[in-house]
Amino acid sequence: MMQKKLIVVALTAAIALPMQAMADNGNFTFYGKADVSYDSITTGDGTTTANGATAVKGVTKRVVSSNVSKFGFKGSEDLGDGLSAIWQVEQQIDIDASAKNTFASRNTFAGLKGDFGQVLFGRHDSPYKLSTRKLDVFGDGIADNRALLGGVKGINSTAAFDERPTDVLAYFSPEFNGISAALAMANLSEGNKVSTDKKDSVTSLSVSYKGGPIYAAVGYQTHKLESKATTGGDTESATKVGVGYNLDAFSVGVVYEKTTDDMANAAKDSKYGHTATYVSGKYDLGGNKAIKVAYGKAGKIGSGTAEIADSDASQVSLGYDHGLSKHTKLYVVYSKITNGKGVNYGFSQSTAGSTSNSGFGTSPSAISLGLQHSF
């Protein structure tokens, strides 16, 4: 009999303690998004190297893709006098490839929030990346504009400016008359032990304005990459400007980006530097329904003697969202990338993105039928 009473007491305590913990953390939030699509992707015909002669034959394939599906936990504690402790743990889930999943792969941090703004420590999107994300009408899907923007892809580039670095110390200011700013620094070489170890770091900042129908932002980011140093140097940087305008149901956005570096040669020509432009439009039909269109253009890569011939590219995307509820929608997207013979951009932000082209000079295209649910 005594043993049974002890079991009852133990079970009661096991239930009561989590309930008490939940009560003490009433500001705790669980959130996420499931975004899965059935895609028909044509990888296109290309060559094995930039401006090469060895041909590669592409394929048309049909795949189930996960498009930045995620879940997270976040919360805060009121510390009094307008000060709060804040935290977040966020994870991306590849719904069609669970073996690839890790934990806390997205924005994960702890920090303080008050009248002064927010200070965060951990892993977080750079201010440069965040400055124009809201202007991408196909964000976090296979037609995401980061196929061409955010740094050169596919030619062994170190450039990745639309990034989420670790070892981040970030500050986000409060808004003053519609203006806000952000600054972040990240150490990319935390394992250094001796003076001869190379040092890599990131500094990122942005300033944005939001007032009435207008949104405008400028972002700047620089990388110090001693581990990638060449006879030219070890620095790369990027600047972008974005403007958005909402007029009733219609909205437009424009982003211009320029990247540069000094890592090509002693003349300090850019090895991966280039320009990129993105223009988008969206017409809101109401009820979580919308028509979307976008066009992106990336210029030639490199400068001076380091310029890569025929390395420009373009992307055109069309889409329709059909809302089933406030949190659920069906969508259809068509997107096509046209690469010059010296470059091999492919789609991004989808589990099918890394295998969406067959080589240099391809014209990969995708038709995506998807379902997205946010919670």
Side-chain angles (χ1 to χ4, degrees), residues 66-71 90-95 100-106 164 349-351:
S66 183
N67 305 282
V68 190
S69 299
K70 61 185 178 180
F71 72 86
E90 188 172 288
Q91 167 61 31
Q92 182 165 325
I93 298 297
D94 291 347
I95 294 176
K100 297 180 181 179
N101 295 328
T102 56
F103 192 67
S105 64
R106 293 178 60 84
R164 184 182 298 114
Q349 312 309 312
S350 164
T351 54

Side-chain angles (χ1 to χ4, degrees), residues 11 58 98 126 214 242 262 282 316 327 352 362 364:
L11 289 173
S98 60
S126 69
I214 299 174
D262 58 7
K282 179 179 178 180
V316 61
H327 300 287
T362 61

Side-chain angles (χ1 to χ4, degrees), residues 116-181:
F116 58 86
Q118 300 181 53
V119 176
L120 310 177
F121 307 84
R123 180 184 181 96
H124 202 278
D125 291 331
S126 69
Y128 180 87
K129 173 183 178 179
L130 294 173
S131 63
T132 59
R133 275 287 75 216
K134 64 176 60 181
L135 300 177
D136 185 355
V137 295
F138 293 101
D140 289 347
I142 199 165
D144 191 294
N145 69 13
R146 283 171 286 182
L148 302 186
L149 276 69
V152 174
K153 315 296 193 302
I155 311 183
N156 299 319
S157 173
T158 58
F161 294 101
D162 272 12
E163 61 185 345
R164 184 182 298 114
T166 56
D167 284 290
V168 170
L169 168 61
Y171 169 70
F172 295 86
S173 80
E175 187 176 293
F176 297 101
N177 296 321
I179 300 174
S180 58

Side-chain angles (χ1 to χ4, degrees), residues 299-353:
K300 290 183 179 180
I301 299 167
S303 65
T305 59
E307 182 180 282
I308 300 174
D310 294 321
S311 57
D312 50 344
S314 62
Q315 180 182 18
V316 61
S317 303
L318 304 169
Y320 171 69
D321 293 343
H322 184 82
L324 301 177
S325 72
K326 181 179 179 181
H327 300 287
T328 305
K329 69 178 181 181
L330 299 173
Y331 62 84
V332 58
V333 172
Y334 170 79
S335 188
K336 181 177 182 178
I337 296 173
T338 302
N339 285 305
K341 294 181 180 180
V343 73
N344 61 342
Y345 291 102
F347 298 114
S348 67
Q349 312 309 312
S350 164
T351 54

Side-chain angles (χ1 to χ4, degrees), residues 35-48:
D35 190 333
V36 187
S37 60
Y38 184 69
D39 303 337
S40 176
I41 298 174
T42 300
T43 61
D45 300 335
T47 58
T48 56

